[in-house]
Amino acid sequence: MTALQTLQPLIDTVQGCLVLSSPDDGRIVSANQLASILLACPHDELLDRSMYDFLPHPADADAIRQDLDAHSMIYNRGMQLRTVNGRHFDVQLSVRKVSLNDAAMLVFSFSDRTEAKVMSQLLDYERQLVQRSLNIVKTLKEEGSQSQDEDRLTGVAGMHRMMAAAHAETSRVLRYGGALSILALVLVNAPDMVPREDDGSAYNHLLRLAASLCLQSIRDSDLVARRDDNALIILLPSTDMNGASELARRLITSLRQLTFLYQGEEHQAAACVGLSELRPDEAGPKPMLERLEYALQKAQEGGANYIIRLP
C-alpha cells in the first residue's frame, strides 16, 4: 500500500487511462482520474470494483488471463469496454503483469478509440475538400505561377509571407511591447516521399492533414506556413513561451490520434516540436529564428513527442 501511495502522483499524470488490479479477481487497487471518467464510475467506487466488471463478456476476462499466461503481456489490442451504465466503447488495451512489494499485479492501460475514429473521418472529409480546391487551382494556373505567399500543397502560407509577418510582428513588439513566439513542427514517422507520384501520395496526404490540424488549433492572429523541408512553422503574436508550449502539447496529442495507411499497414502519426521567442533586446526576428532552428534540430534528435524550448 505504501508503494501505491508513492506511485499515485505518477499514475495520475499518465496520458491515457491506467488501472492497477489484482491478477486473481481483477479487483482495482489504483487508477487515475481519466480511467474513472471513461468508465463513468466515481474514483472511490472504482476501487471497490473488479476490472473484469467493465468487460462486455465473461469470455473476455478468460481470454486476457490465458494470453497473459502464454505471453506475459497484451499490447495495444483493439476491443471493447463497458461503462457502469452499460455504454460500450472501443479501446486500444494493453495489459502486463508486474511485481509490486513482492506481490503480483496487473497493469491495464487503454485509450478511447471513438474520438480518434470521428477525427479521422472529419480529417478525411477535409482532405477531400482541400484536394478539390487544389485541383481547381491546378487547372487555372500554370505550374510555378502561384504566389510565394501561399503553399499550394497544404493551403497554408508560404515562407515569403511568414518572414514578412515575422518582421512586422517584431516591429510591433518593439513599439508597443508584448510577447512573440514561434513554433516549428516536423512529422517524425512520415512515409517515404514519392517525387514522381501525384498529390495523392501517402506523404503528401499526411502533410496536408498535419497542416489542417495546425490551422484548426490557432487563433485568427496566428500564421501557419510550410517550409521547403516540410516543417510547419507557426508564428504566435502576443504569446509567451508558456502559451506556445501549450499549443505544442495540443498539436502532438492531436497528431497521435491520427492514423494513416502506408504500404497496406496502418501507422500512427507522430511529430516533434521546437520553440523559441523574441527576447527584449532583439530588434529583428533573425536570432529568434536561429534559436528555433537549433531547438527543432534537438527535438528531431530526441524523436517523437519531443518538445524543445529555446527562449
Side-chain angles (χ1 to χ4, degrees), residues 188-210:
V188 171
N189 63 336
D192 293 336
M193 183 68 172
V194 184
R196 295 179 179 273
E197 205 168 304
D198 63 10
D199 287 343
S201 67
Y203 182 94
N204 288 338
H205 169 66
L206 182 59
L207 192 60
R208 288 193 203 96
L209 293 181

Side-chain angles (χ1 to χ4, degrees), residues 134-201:
L134 292 174
N135 288 339
I136 292 173
V137 171
K138 192 173 183 179
T139 59
L140 295 176
K141 295 185 178 182
E142 293 294 331
E143 185 70 27
S145 64
Q146 188 153 354
S147 168
Q148 291 180 327
D149 288 343
E150 182 183 351
D151 179 62
R152 185 171 63 87
L153 176 65
T154 61
V156 301
M159 286 305 295
H160 182 271
R161 180 178 167 194
M162 169 61 71
M163 291 305 299
H167 281 281
E169 287 298 330
T170 301
S171 298
R172 180 190 60 80
V173 171
L174 292 174
R175 286 197 304 270
Y176 305 112
L180 176 64
S181 297
I182 192 163
L183 178 155
L185 179 146
V186 168
L187 296 169
V188 171
N189 63 336
D192 293 336
M193 183 68 172
V194 184
R196 295 179 179 273
E197 205 168 304
D198 63 10
D199 287 343
S201 67

